[in-house]
Amino acid sequence: MRARPLLAALVALASGAAACTSEDARGPEPAAPLSAGGGAAEAAAPAAAAQAAVVAATAGDPARGQRLVAELQCNRCHDGTGQAPAPRDAHCVQCHQDIAAGRFQAPAAAMKRWNENLVQLRDVPSLAAAGDRLRRDWIRAFLLAPHDLRPRLHATMPRLAIGPEQASDIAAYLTRDRRERPREALTGASAARGRELYEAKGCGTCHAFTGAAGLTAVAPVRAMEKETRAAVALAPDLRHARDRMEPADLAAWVLDPGAIKPGTPMPQVPMSPAEARDIAAFVATAPLSPPAPASAPERLPLLSRRVTYAEVDRRVFRVTCRHCHSEPDYALGDGGPGNTGGFGFKPRGLNLATYEGIAAGYVDDHGERRSVFARGPDGVPRLVAALAARQAEEAGRADPAVRGMPLGLPALGPEEIQLVESWIAQGRPQ
């Protein structure tokens, strides 16, 4: 593998990025309304057909889902997709892991610089045995409205360019091999005993359980070893467990996670089947306080001091944007999904690695070049609107018209967005 500056950063984010828009968003056309008139029998037939269509669309088609998983290049981040592994140069997570372990062939100065900021995409969950762990309807909902499921993981699942039908198909494919378990697995289990066991066995060492009152605060273990780091980073907030898993699956997982998903970083904690059911009962039924209301930060006023491209590039573009928007020749022909396409996104030709590339803008659905500095109806430049939209997404208010950036990574802070907006307002000086 040839060493190229910032190769890892250029191919690193399997969350994809379009040109700061949702123009790629796909989904089924809304169903036509039923015509008025006719008797009960006439009305019942189309109503029943419509209901059957809804059920079929929600159930999904595994064959179509398999094709979508390949088209969206899920294997560039996730193992367990059923697809052949992505080439080493195109596997975002393995690339970062190689850099962190010193295996990546690059100059020592570049490796040092990369490792200083290498906090994202070193760990992602495998999709293996998803059907034995996760509810199909939850997978579908999560694909359509991703949220921060793992509070100690830097990246999140991105908002991909898919609609409800595609999400159903992917969920059907990922859960196609589900092993059925008895629905009454928690009969006789004690949530009170489960709470005691939860604390005694140190579940909170890795897991957050937001909303569950009175749990002993536990500092996460120091993630020094690969397995420990992955276990802490990938541990989901147990608030969501009751939505993600059937009670029987949750009990089986707590008892022996490796038997369900070989290679999982979740350790097997010694316990009896009865204790596993008790812990599952606690996790599945503990009273939870409502989530804390989230809000996007207020935009800061424009800076009065001079802001140059060099400063914006150092603090913003070079840190995050180049993951998906960069120069193809800089990274073995892959300019990232926001430039040369990928992860289900069309090539947009948006190169944020150079001043000239940013000035050239992006390519719209009609093949026309558009400026990322053009102002929308609210007077906000397109680039700034995309950055602000990511803040709104994190607050649970996704804008269907604007895809938030950086996709799949934490939103920029108010100061960084202020810097970008001030630079644009000043005429984008170099």
Side-chain angles (χ1 to χ4, degrees):
M1 180 169 59
R2 289 182 290 166
R4 294 290 182 92
L6 287 178
L7 172 60
L10 305 184
V11 298
L13 188 56
S15 49
C20 305
T21 80
S22 59
E23 290 170 322
D24 283 347
R26 296 166 295 180
E29 292 294 324
L34 298 177
S35 57
E42 290 81 355
Q51 179 62 27
V54 170
V55 171
T58 303
D61 183 319
R64 288 199 304 260
Q66 183 177 22
R67 292 192 292 271
L68 279 166
V69 166
E71 176 187 331
L72 296 170
Q73 300 176 309
C74 302
N75 64 342
R76 288 185 67 174
C77 269
H78 295 284
D79 293 331
T81 64
Q83 309 289 326
R88 196 73 171 180
D89 288 348
H91 197 298
C92 307
V93 177
Q94 289 183 357
C95 187
H96 275 199
Q97 290 173 346
D98 283 351
I99 293 172
R103 295 188 296 263
F104 194 85
Q105 299 301 309
M111 293 281 284
K112 181 177 183 298
R113 186 172 67 252
W114 294 341
N115 269 299
E116 288 174 353
N117 298 305
L118 191 59
V119 296
Q120 63 233 13
L121 283 175
R122 290 176 60 183
D123 302 289
V124 293
S126 169
L127 301 180
D132 289 329
R133 298 177 289 118
L134 306 175
R135 299 178 192 261
R136 180 178 295 188
D137 57 350
W138 179 84
I139 296 176
R140 177 182 184 273
F142 185 70
L143 288 171
L144 293 173
H147 55 86
D148 189 2
L149 179 64
R150 294 175 168 84
R152 292 168 185 150
L153 190 66
H154 187 76
T156 63
M157 178 69 193
R159 188 161 66 97
L160 297 173
I162 59 175
E165 184 176 357
Q166 288 81 16
S168 295
D169 292 341
I170 295 171
Y173 170 66
L174 294 177
T175 58
R176 66 197 181 282
D177 295 328
R178 173 179 170 78
R179 292 174 289 183
E180 292 300 326
R181 293 189 180 87
R183 295 286 178 174
E184 299 300 321
L186 301 189
T187 300
S190 168
R193 287 197 303 269
R195 183 190 183 95
E196 295 172 358
L197 288 165
Y198 177 94
E199 300 219 57
K201 294 184 179 295
C203 302
T205 302
C206 292
H207 289 280
F209 196 177
T210 59
L215 292 177
T216 302
V218 178
V221 296
R222 291 193 64 180
M224 300 300 293
E225 301 296 331
K226 175 183 176 182
E227 294 77 11
T228 306
R229 184 199 70 241
V232 173
L234 297 177
D237 185 341
L238 296 179
R239 179 186 193 93
H240 308 292
R242 62 192 64 183
D243 299 321
R244 300 174 73 224
M245 305 179 75
E246 297 285 355
D249 297 335
L250 180 55
W253 176 258
V254 169
L255 180 64
D256 189 356
I260 297 173
K261 182 183 176 183
T264 177
M266 168 94 171
Q268 182 180 10
V269 179
M271 69 182 71
S272 69
E275 289 176 324
R277 289 195 299 272
D278 289 343
I279 293 175
F282 167 61
V283 172
T285 65
L288 301 178
S289 60
S295 60
E298 294 291 332
R299 293 240 305 279
L300 298 177
L302 296 176
L303 293 168
S304 57
R305 67 172 179 83
R306 179 178 170 82
V307 178
T308 65
Y309 166 74
E311 182 181 5
V312 177
D313 183 55
R314 175 176 55 82
R315 290 182 54 186
V316 178
F317 298 145
R318 189 178 301 177
V319 176
T320 56
C321 304
R322 291 190 187 182
H323 285 97
C324 294
H325 301 272
S326 199
E327 172 56 48
D329 293 339
Y330 207 45
L332 306 181
D334 186 345
N339 188 353
T340 51
F343 308 108
F345 293 97
K346 298 177 182 178
R348 293 300 184 184
L350 179 57
N351 174 16
L352 300 180
T354 67
Y355 183 88
E356 294 76 16
I358 298 171
Y362 71 99
V363 178
D364 68 11
D365 284 337
H366 306 290
E368 300 290 334
R369 278 276 167 188
R370 303 288 181 185
S371 173
V372 295
F373 306 120
R375 298 182 182 275
D378 57 358
V380 178
R382 190 180 191 90
L383 178 58
V384 175
L387 300 177
R390 181 63 181 143
Q391 292 180 331
E393 287 173 359
E394 289 187 341
R397 298 193 306 277
D399 184 345
V402 182
R403 197 172 303 281
M405 296 290 157
L407 200 63
L409 289 177
L412 269 64
E415 292 80 8
E416 285 74 27
I417 295 180
Q418 177 192 43
L419 191 72
V420 174
E421 190 167 12
S422 299
W423 174 64
I424 296 172
Q426 294 175 18
R428 309 186 298 278
Q430 287 189 279

